[in-house]
Amino acid sequence: MSYLIWALLILAPLLLAGLSQAGGAVAGRGPQRTMWLWIAGVVGFAALMIAPHLVTYSQQELLVFLVINILIVASYRLLTLTGEFSLAHVVIVGVGAYGSALLTKQVGVPVPIAMLLGAAIAGLVAFILSFPLFRMKGFYFLIGSFAAGEVIRLLWKRFREPFGGPKGIKLIPEFPGFELFGIPFEFYEPVTFYYFALIIVGLSLWLLWRIENSRIGLTFHAVHWQDQLADSLGVNTRRYRTLAFVIASVFAGLAGALLAHYLGTINPNRFDVDEMVYVLIWVIVGGTATLWGPIVGLIVLTVINEVILRELNVDELRPLFYGAILILAMLFLPSGLETLPRKIKERFSRDKKAADAVELTTSQ
Amino acid sequence: MAMRHLNRRHFLGTSAAVGASALTGVGRPGKANADNETIKIGFLAPLTGDVAAWGLPGLYGCEIWADDHNTMGGVEIGGTMYNIEIVSFDNEYLPDKAKTGATKLIKEDGVKFIQMLGGDTWPAVQPIANREKMLVSTLLPSDLSPDTPYLVAPAEVHPIYNVTGVWWMAENMPDVKTTVICGQDDAIGRPSVATYQAAFEAHGITVNDTIFFDISTTDFAPVVTSMLSSNPDCLCLDTAYAEFVNELCKQAYEQGYKGKIISCTADFYADIIANTSEEFMEGMIFQFPDFDDPALNDPRINFGDPNGFFKTYNEKHPGEWGAVSWEYASILDLWLSGAQKAGSVEPEAVLEGMKDGGIGAHAFGEANWWGEELFGIDNALVGNWPVVQIQNGKAVIVEFKSIPDWWDQHKDIMIKKFEDMGEMWYQRS
């Protein structure tokens, strides 16, 4: 049963990715596409709602981290809309985590407010970083962002006060529990936190989707694909890159705050370049053409790595399998898993056309 | 302790060995008694990733330990015969995976005891361990605090035992007057640096400089150049990860260093010798013996048949012996004696049994449950610790030194250094 749930959790965003691609790649346009969108949406929503009750205890924990990671990859994709790939995104997640943790532990700010402030701090840090970083583009921005991220991470390690040094911060207060109609809601319980995170992440995804489909989002695309043309039309491309960076960072910071208050501990190594590589892998394997691409990449690779390979009890060999899967994905789906529905459709169309041609030839 | 990186050659070798053993059945448990009940023991440590060498060799050791006991008919606890089953979970040295792993081991697998490396991963496990009253062991006593009543450090009291190496050096190498310490700037390196600083000060050896490097460091030439700039009599490599020790030694060799070397570990020292020379490595002092050492056959040693264990280990996992290979297994010895004393496998009862009388049978001899002054709780088992030296290309135990004796004489210095480094339990965030 748990495998069925994982399969649905993969299929729903995959279908949504196929339906969201330009030109109605999978289901054409009009009522048919709308119907499929509704089906995928309902299946996805239903799977998300019942998932924690059909998986094991440890997979409930996994679901929590999966939902938080969805926000990380989705926010990262917003930045990639402008054509820039950053290596500081996970550090920005850490900024939100540290910000929220410190506000609750040292200032006594209530957790919900601290989480929002942590997200705001992440956005502010991104805004400050944007001044040196957006003097660069492409590969230079990538390297610059890595350097900026490392500076922040090393500051966490260097200053025991207030950041806790290499050991980081422990015993971070959890989201306060409450009782509703006599039912206790304790946020150290993975199921409770899962639904809480799901609401936060769901709202965030909706906001990200609205931003992408607004005039601002279209300008992000223009900055990516035709930045010189956009410049010539009076679009301040640097300002839009900064805007994308800041918005992505606010949501990344929110993800960090969720992580900090669920996990109860953070340290600089949790936000190092190794973690950033995972985010890049999820995003690239999933694809960045649609909002759903990175989410597909994340869920597929997480399920393979954390569910299937763990159940096969081949812990020591997981990196080898993981590497092989990545290579295969890049070889056969270079534009990401999100193109899989379109490729399947094309394959079936080709088969159908070939069959029709054969039928036509034989009938003549 | 061991290393941060399994290098590519080492990793591929390990993976190939694991794959081969999975296919051929070599290294699988022997025949256990089918009539026995089964106790599951959790192994929650990094088996892949940067810190794999602090977990994987230990898992091999635990499997050998369990296999030996099961083959001999199982273990008797409270009048019931049990087989031991080791259930592992790779936490990749990440707190979130450790939390997931702890949940799985406790709630799904029903383990009665969890072994961890500790460090970065422990704080994420602490709440669930406390809620479930699950007995957990760590190799890093710096995880201990008054908030961790179910956490014990029964094998390794890192970094306190490092004082024994300096103590021995001061007694046997009086020409060593100055040293330079280097260590990675992390939760393992820093308390270790504080310990070495205290030990050198206590024994009148001047520390010319202390150099911290980041764990992402790959080029150690500048680190070693800086260390050699004050022309020290001794290089102290702290508790650097095995890969770092290897690189630091190689750089010191290439830069013409001729003095003494002291380090917490010298894992895979044959590789280090291959990268430098036997002459260069001669006399290096560290803290982790090979278990074929005749000194371990002393009747005061509580580890069952260390020489046989070492032989079996190397037959099943050639080239994989490291500092942690025996440590987790020795914790299982203590757990078993605690369970037998309590007549129960339930975690709280075993903890009481383990700590009964304030004395425990540590691998290197009888030891005391200790730690309140340094960790805020007496959950670390402290007694003798071996000083090991490389002689003619082989690790040799030169003496066992008493950590409590050193502590009684020099604890003020140690506490001061720990406070300076912000490592006392009451200074942790």
Side-chain angles (χ1 to χ4, degrees):
Chain A
M1 184 56 89
S2 77
Y3 276 106
L4 177 65
I5 278 294
W6 291 115
L8 289 176
L9 287 175
I10 290 168
L11 276 174
L14 194 60
L15 195 52
L16 286 165
L19 293 164
S20 304
Q21 278 173 59
V26 171
R29 295 181 183 282
Q32 191 194 15
R33 181 168 179 267
T34 308
M35 182 191 75
W36 277 107
L37 271 169
W38 271 102
I39 289 171
V42 168
V43 167
F45 180 76
L48 285 167
M49 292 311 288
I50 61 171
H53 305 287
L54 298 175
V55 297
T56 62
Y57 285 110
S58 59
Q59 287 175 1
Q60 287 173 353
E61 297 274 1
L62 187 61
L63 275 171
V64 172
F65 296 119
L66 190 68
V67 169
I68 293 169
N69 285 338
I70 282 174
L71 186 52
I72 293 172
V73 294
S75 60
Y76 189 66
R77 183 183 162 270
L78 188 84
L79 173 63
T80 68
L81 292 183
T82 63
E84 300 298 356
F85 279 76
S86 160
L87 287 178
H89 197 68
V90 163
V91 171
I92 295 292
V93 171
V95 171
Y98 269 91
S100 189
L102 288 171
L103 285 168
T104 48
K105 272 202 86 169
Q106 300 201 355
V107 186
V109 176
V111 173
I113 296 166
M115 286 172 67
L116 294 172
L117 289 173
I121 291 166
L124 180 66
V125 167
F127 179 69
I128 294 163
L129 289 179
S130 72
F131 289 97
L133 288 180
F134 285 111
R135 295 171 67 87
M136 301 172 271
K137 285 200 295 190
F139 179 72
Y140 301 97
F141 173 81
L142 187 80
I143 298 302
S145 66
F146 171 68
E150 278 299 282
V151 166
I152 293 170
R153 206 176 63 81
L154 293 174
L155 285 173
W156 293 335
K157 289 184 88 167
R158 176 67 184 79
F159 293 101
R160 184 172 293 274
E161 285 297 332
F163 302 119
K167 286 187 176 178
I169 303 170
K170 292 193 298 186
L171 304 173
I172 299 165
E174 62 202 21
F175 201 86
F178 58 89
E179 206 170 279
L180 197 65
F181 308 120
I183 304 163
F185 289 87
E186 293 294 349
F187 285 85
Y188 60 76
E189 290 290 348
V191 176
T192 309
F193 198 91
Y194 167 79
Y195 286 120
F196 168 67
L198 200 58
I199 292 165
I200 302 283
V201 173
L203 280 170
S204 302
L205 289 181
W206 179 75
L207 284 170
L208 286 164
W209 182 79
R210 288 301 302 259
I211 290 165
E212 189 185 344
N213 288 283
S214 68
R215 195 179 58 80
I216 292 170
L218 293 172
T219 312
F220 289 160
H221 283 290
V223 167
H224 182 187
W225 298 110
Q226 295 289 351
D227 64 335
Q228 286 176 342
L229 181 61
D231 259 331
S232 71
L233 292 170
V235 174
N236 187 331
T237 54
R238 184 170 163 177
R239 190 174 293 172
Y240 275 94
R241 283 194 176 100
T242 299
L243 184 62
F245 189 40
V246 170
I247 294 170
S249 299
V250 166
F251 287 109
L254 187 59
L258 283 168
L259 184 74
H261 292 287
Y262 183 64
L263 206 51
T265 177
I266 48 172
N267 66 69
N269 291 346
R270 180 61 186 77
F271 307 106
D272 68 4
V273 73
D274 289 356
E275 294 305 304
M276 187 63 230
V277 168
Y278 272 102
V279 172
L280 280 173
I281 288 168
W282 294 330
V283 169
I284 291 166
V285 168
T288 56
T290 71
L291 176 68
W292 308 102
I295 297 172
V296 173
L298 165 69
I299 298 175
V300 167
L301 291 174
T302 302
V303 169
I304 289 168
N305 196 36
E306 296 297 332
V307 179
I308 298 170
L309 291 179
R310 284 215 190 261
E311 287 195 6
L312 288 173
N313 206 17
V314 287
D315 271 346
E316 300 95 308
L317 295 177
R318 281 188 309 123
L320 291 178
F321 283 118
Y322 201 75
I325 288 158
L326 288 184
I327 291 165
L328 291 172
M330 297 320 296
L331 278 174
F332 296 107
L333 289 164
S335 299
L337 287 167
E338 66 186 354
T339 59
L340 192 60
R342 194 183 71 216
K343 284 184 181 289
I344 291 168
K345 190 192 176 207
E346 283 170 359
R347 181 64 194 260
F348 277 108
S349 307
R350 275 207 306 273
D351 288 351
K352 191 173 181 305
K353 280 177 187 167
D356 288 347
V358 169
E359 200 178 322
L360 191 67
T361 311
T362 49
S363 65
Q364 286 171 345
Chain B
M1 303 309 288
M3 68 178 182
R4 171 174 160 77
H5 296 286
L6 282 174
N7 61 40
R8 190 177 294 109
R9 180 168 55 86
H10 196 88
F11 172 74
L12 289 172
T14 303
S15 301
V18 170
S21 68
L23 292 170
T24 60
V26 173
R28 284 186 190 164
K31 198 165 173 57
N33 191 329
D35 298 331
N36 291 353
E37 290 186 35
T38 299
I39 309 169
K40 291 182 176 178
I41 289 172
F43 190 91
L44 181 59
L47 305 178
T48 59
D50 288 347
V51 198
W54 290 15
L56 196 56
L59 176 62
Y60 295 154
C62 288
E63 285 169 345
I64 290 167
W65 185 96
D67 198 15
D68 285 351
H69 284 77
N70 293 341
T71 309
M72 289 188 298
V75 296
E76 186 271 323
I77 298 167
T80 308
M81 292 303 293
Y82 293 95
N83 293 328
I84 304 285
E85 184 184 337
I86 307 292
V87 185
S88 66
F89 189 97
D90 175 18
N91 69 25
E92 298 172 37
Y93 205 56
L94 290 170
D96 41 337
K97 302 221 169 161
K99 189 173 196 278
T100 305
T103 305
K104 178 185 178 289
L105 293 170
I106 295 168
K107 294 199 167 189
E108 290 165 36
D109 297 315
V111 301
K112 296 296 181 186
F113 172 48
I114 295 177
Q115 297 198 85
M116 285 185 73
L117 166 65
D120 289 351
T121 53
W122 164 248
V125 174
Q126 184 182 325
I128 190 172
N130 284 356
R131 271 200 306 274
E132 302 287 334
K133 296 183 169 56
M134 174 54 63
L135 180 60
V136 181
S137 70
T138 178
L139 296 190
L140 302 171
S142 50
D143 293 333
L144 298 172
S145 78
D147 301 323
T148 61
Y150 302 103
L151 182 72
V152 290
E156 183 175 344
V157 278
H158 180 268
I160 312 305
Y161 54 74
N162 286 333
V163 301
T164 60
V166 177
W167 185 5
W168 188 87
M169 177 188 263
E171 285 177 345
N172 294 277
M173 299 174 175
D175 52 329
V176 174
K177 300 290 182 200
T178 59
T179 186
V180 174
I181 305 171
C182 76
Q184 72 270 356
D185 190 2
D186 73 350
I188 290 153
R190 291 182 74 85
S192 183
V193 164
T195 303
Y196 273 114
Q197 285 177 338
F200 285 126
E201 186 176 316
H203 295 289
I205 297 168
T206 305
V207 178
N208 293 346
D209 196 7
T210 298
I211 299 164
F212 283 106
F213 54 83
D214 191 73
I215 56 169
S216 58
T217 305
T218 53
D219 180 8
F220 286 90
V223 176
V224 172
T225 303
S226 180
M227 290 177 85
L228 299 185
S229 63
S230 64
N231 198 25
D233 301 323
C234 168
L235 296 184
C236 174
L237 309 187
D238 193 55
T239 310
Y241 301 123
E243 185 97 339
F244 296 167
V245 172
N246 194 335
E247 288 299 319
L248 287 161
C249 288
K250 201 160 83 175
Q251 277 300 327
Y253 172 73
E254 286 174 3
Q255 294 186 31
Y257 178 69
K258 301 273 190 239
K260 303 285 186 284
I261 299 175
I262 188 167
S263 171
C264 176
T265 66
D267 284 344
F268 315 113
Y269 62 83
D271 291 345
I272 307 176
I273 291 169
N275 286 329
T276 56
S277 72
E278 199 174 296
E279 185 189 0
F280 175 80
M281 293 294 290
E282 184 69 14
M284 180 182 181
I285 296 166
F286 61 112
Q287 308 288 167
F288 287 89
D290 287 347
F291 267 39
D292 59 348
D293 199 303
L296 292 172
N297 296 324
D298 188 294
R300 286 168 296 183
I301 298 296
N302 293 309
F303 193 93
D305 187 19
N307 295 177
F309 178 83
F310 185 78
K311 184 169 175 284
T312 306
Y313 191 101
N314 280 296
E315 281 169 1
K316 289 189 173 182
H317 309 286
E320 295 294 324
W321 179 267
V324 302
S325 297
W326 60 271
E327 288 189 308
Y328 294 98
S330 83
I331 291 172
L332 288 176
D333 277 335
L334 280 154
W335 172 84
L336 179 58
S337 71
Q340 286 173 332
K341 214 179 263 187
S344 166
V345 296
E346 293 310 313
E348 284 183 283
V350 174
L351 177 60
E352 273 183 44
M354 271 174 138
K355 294 182 70 177
D356 185 42
I359 289 171
H362 186 277
F364 297 132
E366 196 172 82
N368 302 318
W369 287 100
W370 169 92
E372 186 157 2
E373 288 171 292
L374 205 56
F375 310 123
I377 191 168
D378 282 334
N379 276 15
L381 194 59
V382 176
N384 291 338
W385 198 271
V387 179
V388 182
Q389 189 177 38
I390 292 181
Q391 295 176 357
N392 303 315
K394 179 81 180 106
V396 176
I397 295 172
V398 287
E399 193 177 345
F400 286 91
K401 289 276 192 188
S402 166
I403 300 167
D405 286 356
W406 190 95
W407 176 260
D408 289 343
Q409 289 176 63
H410 306 292
K411 67 178 173 186
D412 293 345
I413 300 172
M414 180 75 90
I415 289 169
K416 184 184 178 303
K417 293 294 179 186
F418 261 60
E419 280 182 336
D420 291 348
M421 201 67 76
E423 289 295 335
M424 290 299 285
W425 64 269
Y426 45 79
Q427 293 176 301
R428 295 182 216 145
S429 307

